[in-house]
Amino acid sequence: MELRKILPGSPDAALMDEVNLESFPPEELMQTDMQLKLCADGALEVWAVYDTEEFVGFTTVYPGTRLAYVFFLAVHKDARSRGYGTRILQLLHDHYAGRRIVLDIEPVDPSVPDNAMRIRRKQFYLRNGFLESGYMLKYLGLSFEILYAGPGEFSLGDYREMMDGIRGVIHSCGFEVFEPEIFPIA
């Protein structure tokens, strides 16, 4: 398996768009064109994931100095349940060696209809070496639990510094309403 950078105009962009639109709810979706523009500008890294010559998914990463933040990771619906998620995470660990990999997930919440899916997602990441940071991220009325993996402990200072960089990237796209808050899980 391998990561291949996706840029605007790439043949992989249409495949990425299909997976992006079917994998993320509208309130969490970042349009494919915006992700690719930010990749072309060097602010994000957008990767097509291939198994030999089969497109199996994509991931979008903010490559911070000490942390690599996984914005999106999605496997094509025809390739799910074949171990690709685990293998993509390994590719990310290898590619961003020496950095902690950080991501956020919808928190487990028994009061929401998709709680079973949230539990499965969290179990997947925990099985793949991710740890609970003890913190939540909140923006645009949405809340997410922060997970991390890689060398060292979770550093709130590193995370805040990285999130300041991400805020700058998002603001550069005209979305000044993106003001993330970080708070401990009660």
Side-chain angles (χ1 to χ4, degrees):
M1 279 190 35
E2 68 177 320
L3 299 173
R4 298 180 189 170
K5 193 164 273 191
I6 307 176
L7 293 168
S10 162
D12 295 324
L15 296 168
M16 176 192 169
D17 193 49
E18 175 188 337
V19 174
N20 192 32
L21 291 171
E22 67 103 17
S23 297
F24 299 101
E27 64 273 12
E28 296 175 25
L29 183 71
M30 179 187 280
Q31 294 300 318
T32 299
D33 289 347
M34 180 182 291
Q35 291 183 58
L36 296 180
K37 178 193 177 308
L38 291 169
C39 183
D41 293 346
L44 296 179
E45 294 179 345
V46 182
W47 302 103
V49 181
Y50 275 86
D51 186 356
T52 313
E53 290 305 313
E54 178 188 5
F55 175 88
V56 296
F58 81 94
T59 186
T60 301
V61 178
Y62 176 83
T65 305
R66 289 179 293 279
L67 306 175
Y69 180 77
V70 179
F71 262 93
F72 300 102
L73 187 160
V75 174
H76 191 282
K77 65 182 180 226
D78 296 337
R80 290 185 188 144
S81 299
R82 296 184 0 208
Y84 284 119
T86 294
R87 294 182 357 211
I88 292 168
L89 290 174
Q90 187 56 56
L91 284 172
L92 292 175
H93 283 291
D94 293 346
H95 187 79
Y96 297 102
R99 292 182 246 187
R100 286 179 303 283
I101 306 291
V102 182
L103 52 82
D104 52 64
I105 59 172
E106 295 169 311
V108 171
D109 180 353
S111 70
V112 299
D114 67 345
N115 194 49
M117 185 250 338
R118 292 178 183 205
I119 291 169
R120 284 191 309 276
R121 183 174 293 131
K122 184 171 182 176
Q123 289 172 340
F124 164 77
Y125 285 113
L126 295 177
R127 274 193 318 273
N128 281 283
F130 280 79
L131 302 169
E132 298 171 331
S133 69
Y135 290 91
M136 298 286 287
L137 174 67
K138 184 176 181 177
Y139 59 88
L140 301 174
L142 304 169
S143 294
F144 300 92
E145 181 177 1
I146 302 166
L147 303 178
Y148 74 100
E153 297 295 317
F154 180 78
S155 165
L156 185 57
D158 287 352
Y159 187 82
R160 286 186 191 283
E161 180 182 313
M162 178 199 64
M163 203 45 67
D164 286 343
I166 291 170
R167 179 185 10 245
V169 167
I170 301 298
H171 284 195
S172 76
C173 297
F175 294 101
E176 287 83 16
V177 296
F178 180 74
E179 290 298 332
E181 301 172 49
I182 305 156
F183 57 92
I185 295 175

